[in-house]
Amino acid sequence: MSRLSPEINEIFDANITNSLNFLRIFTVIDFLTAESKHIEQHTNLSFREILQIKNDLIKTLSPKPIKASSSYKHLIKKSAIISTGIKCVDDLLEGGFTTGKIYEINGLPASGKTIFCLAVVKHVITNLSQKVYFLDSKNNFSASRLKEMLNNNHHTESLKNVLVKRLEEKMNLLNSLFEIKNELENGLHVRVIIIDSLAILFMDSNDSTVKNNVLTHCANIMHYMASNLNVVFIVTNLMTLWRESNGFDTHDIMQKKISCGKFWQTIPNVKLTFEKFTDSRVKIFVTDSLIMPKIVEAEILISDEGVFSI
Amino acid sequence: MNSKIESGVHLFSRIKQKMYLEGINPLLFPEDSLQQNSVIEITGSDANEKYKLLMDFMIRCILPPSYNKEFRDCGVIFINVDHQIQLMDLIKIMNMHLKKLNIKSKSQIIENALKNLTIVNCFNLEEFQLAIQNIERIVNSNENQSLVLIDNISPYYWSQRFFVNNLSLYSWSLKNFEMLYDVVKSLNIAVIFIRNETTENKKQLCKFVDLRIIVQREGEYCKALVLNYVKQSEICVSYKSENILIF
């Protein structure tokens, strides 16, 4: 929240600010929502001056309204669909991951989420020759595994296009996102940011207020980067099985739960669920999207060489 | 808040201007239940269905009536806080609507419709609150503006809750609504916003909310219960919810 200060508007000198603070007006929003007459009575500002300051603050500080027609022209120039390199997944996503969106990949442990992310990394750095940010909270990002998947020494040069950040705890994620935002605003060209995995960072949080507060800040910056810097986020998240006893019934019901809580579930634009049904075969379902694609499931084959369409 | 001097004639014409939204969705708003300054909230447990209904109002508002009498060709201000309704998706949905009407040259119609839509993207609480304060300036800059849409009246709840212990989602929604109503009450403009709630109840958020639409998904259909607090009546409307809503 912007506090009243001469930097905000030169009228807010120490004298005026003290008088306003006495009225419990500390921030720009406090000032804008306070009764102008009330301010007039307790400061040496005239009613007309107060209205003028309010107008100036709204004009300079509020987010700029954009005509959808010009935003559309900008999107056509700047947005992209990033192919995954796996045909059936591209078909499922109607071409690939669309910039401007946050995708969640959820699934039980060892359902192929990380290997899928590595396959996307491989495709983006080699076939698309673009950089990828990989935020690794599991501390298991393996360059040698990726090199193995590249399966071609010629491509090892492409490994330079993978920018890795290790995340120890949730505040690392927030700080890393801010750092990446600054890098992107200073000219770094990255279209794909992968976070693998979100769940680990928030597992130790029993306090949902603290956890959701950090998630809110992360979501804000992710939405900002997705929209304004034309980035796509791919976030892996853990699904867990919970045994739920059904009264006196002897059969327990296994409930699937996606980690990070209900609040996080409101953030991704598209959710993909991975379900392993043999050692090497995984089904991918689009489980949540405002606009559902024509095809809602795909099947991939996972091997040491990588991920393939079936 | 925004000081603007206008003549009595101007004021009268502004207040008595034509009813832009009349007939926008006669099933949900029969007869004269929707006024030019109505305040409507959308609630319900399925997040996507609430966004879809909001998007449906947006599309009906901005597309021209020459193709469907429920399209209005009027200005909409969309305050985008959840970033779930995306422009490219909106265009896809408009295309589907026009395809359903067997219209071939869709791109020009869509481009013109987009001129009716003003988007304000917010990425934190301060931006959201400033965007609300800025509504008056946006409305005054274009005579055609007739609807304000907000995809979440209680955004950034958890960052606020971090500072205000025991803040309920309900009171946070109410606080933001009061700020919004303070701005829009004299603008003669309709407002539709989404309100999320932790437990479903039929309690009126505030006496200034005129209508409430409770959306509930039932298989491939949706049920919209429209509570009209002004007329003390309620109606239930069923519609098919695919990517476009079919009433």
Side-chain angles (χ1 to χ4, degrees), chain A residues 1-2 28-29 32-33 51 54-55 58-59 61-69 71-72 75-76 79 94 100-101 208-210 212-213 216-217 220 223-224 227-228 263 266-269 288-292, chain B residues 1-3 48 51-52 55 82-89 91-93 96 111 114-127 129-131 133-134 137-138 142 145 156 158-159 161-162 179 243:
Chain A
M1 282 289 163
S2 304
V28 169
I29 295 295
L32 291 174
T33 52
L51 288 183
K54 285 186 173 183
N55 274 337
I58 292 170
K59 199 174 169 184
L61 297 177
S62 53
K64 298 283 167 275
I66 314 158
K67 277 275 169 215
S69 46
S71 182
Y72 176 51
L75 270 179
I76 287 174
S79 71
E94 297 182 336
K101 288 190 176 182
S208 59
T209 306
V210 174
N212 290 337
N213 180 37
T216 302
H217 290 296
N220 291 352
H223 280 308
Y224 172 85
S227 302
N228 292 2
F263 167 69
T266 64
I267 305 302
N269 299 95
D288 194 8
S289 173
L290 193 56
I291 298 188
M292 287 305 268
Chain B
M1 180 176 305
N2 213 346
S3 61
N48 278 348
Y51 292 130
K52 279 186 190 175
M55 200 147 74
D82 280 357
H83 303 277
Q84 296 295 325
I85 298 176
Q86 300 217 333
L87 189 55
M88 284 305 193
D89 291 341
I91 291 165
K92 263 189 199 172
I93 300 286
M96 290 177 199
E111 268 180 45
L114 291 177
K115 287 179 188 158
N116 282 331
L117 179 63
T118 305
I119 303 172
V120 186
N121 287 319
C122 306
F123 297 101
N124 58 49
L125 177 58
E126 188 173 62
E127 287 189 351
Q129 293 180 329
L130 283 162
Q133 300 297 325
N134 199 24
R137 288 183 73 243
I138 305 171
N142 185 348
Q145 302 289 10
Y156 318 110
W158 288 102
S159 52
R161 166 86 183 254
F162 186 73
M179 185 190 280
N243 282 334

Side-chain angles (χ1 to χ4, degrees), chain A residues 167-195:
Chain A
L167 307 174
E168 301 294 332
E169 51 103 24
K170 52 185 175 292
M171 293 311 288
N172 285 162
L173 172 62
L174 191 55
N175 292 335
S176 297
L177 289 170
F178 271 103
E179 282 166 18
I180 296 169
K181 172 188 153 284
N182 290 338
E183 286 174 348
L184 264 60
E185 284 177 336
N186 287 320
L188 179 72
H189 187 76
V190 171
R191 282 292 178 94
V192 181
I193 300 174
I194 295 171
I195 302 172

